[in-house]
Amino acid sequence: MRRDVSSSGCGEAVRPSENATVCFQTASLPETDYLDFYAIKEQTDMKNILLINGPNLNLLGTREPQIYGADTLADVERRLIESAAGRGVAVQCFQSNSEGGLVDRIHAARDEGVDAVIINAGAYTHTSVAIRDALAGVAIPFVEVHISNVHRREPFRHHSYLSDLAEGVIVGLGVYGYEAALDFLIRRQG
Ligand code: DQA
């Protein structure tokens, strides 16, 4: 299978064993080269990403594991930090059970020059105009993540005060959703 990729450029290979500069110039690449194209270190604008988790997500790993899985929040945060660091991106992590704490952290993100936010606002997703307004107020692009598929759960979880402002919404992929959000933000330009 071939896909058209009209691009050219140079980049540092991500895999340590391929720690070399790779140059490419092609209008059409076979599938394997297409994948290598994405393995090349991104020239990303996203240098500073903030991961925010809301109420009860500090209980990950022990909280309703049949819904949220066995990984702890520390596991999730470590994986994100490591995977971002390998791509030249810094991830800061924050969790709070209080709405005001989350609003204050979002405000601080603007002063810190955070480029993008990954947020799982937990139950506040479904209730908080304040968190919505904070995200709108700082105007930092964000991806909304939910570990569970909220649309397959109780009706009160189907509405989000954040989704229409988000760059994207990831639901139901388990904790992998956080990594998918990170990958999306790093690849996304502008
Ligand atoms: C959640 C879904 C919310 O409805 C719930 O209140 C949470 C977690 C999720 O990640 O699936 O706390 O955001």
Side-chain angles (χ1 to χ4, degrees):
M1 179 181 171
R2 297 178 75 85
R3 296 196 200 189
D4 287 330
V5 180
S6 299
S7 188
S8 66
C10 298
E12 186 189 323
V14 170
R15 286 186 287 274
S17 57
E18 296 173 14
N19 192 15
T21 296
V22 177
C23 294
F24 54 94
Q25 179 154 26
T26 181
S28 181
L29 293 170
E31 177 76 351
T32 49
D33 292 344
Y34 176 78
L35 294 174
D36 280 351
F37 174 87
Y38 281 114
I40 291 165
K41 197 170 189 172
E42 297 90 344
Q43 303 292 304
T44 183
D45 295 335
M46 295 290 160
K47 293 293 178 206
N48 189 9
I49 292 177
L50 174 62
L51 170 67
I52 297 180
N53 276 285
N56 301 308
L57 290 160
N58 55 314
L59 299 182
L60 273 186
T62 57
R63 170 195 186 195
E64 300 176 273
Q66 73 284 5
I67 297 177
Y68 298 111
D71 287 341
T72 66
L73 184 58
D75 293 333
V76 170
E77 292 177 344
R78 182 178 25 79
R79 272 204 298 271
L80 234 63
I81 290 167
E82 285 174 5
S83 132
R87 301 166 79 174
V89 175
V91 173
Q92 300 181 63
C93 301
F94 179 78
Q95 188 276 331
S96 176
N97 293 325
S98 92
E99 190 174 23
L102 295 165
V103 168
D104 287 343
R105 188 67 191 86
I106 292 165
H107 291 177
R110 181 169 60 182
D111 301 333
E112 293 168 4
V114 166
D115 298 309
V117 169
I118 299 169
I119 184 165
N120 182 349
Y124 287 136
T125 305
H126 318 300
T127 64
S128 180
V129 177
I131 291 174
R132 173 193 175 86
D133 286 350
L135 288 163
V138 299
I140 299 172
F142 71 92
V143 175
E144 175 182 352
V145 172
H146 298 286
I147 298 165
S148 64
N149 181 354
V150 285
H151 301 292
R152 209 159 63 178
R153 300 180 64 190
E154 305 95 320
F156 64 82
R157 296 186 203 275
H158 297 180
H159 176 259
S160 164
Y161 277 99
L162 312 183
S163 295
D164 63 305
L165 300 179
E167 299 300 304
V169 181
I170 298 172
V171 304
L173 301 189
V175 293
Y176 169 71
Y178 293 104
E179 294 179 50
L182 176 73
D183 189 51
F184 165 75
L185 287 169
I186 292 176
R187 289 184 184 198
R188 171 184 182 275
Q189 299 293 311

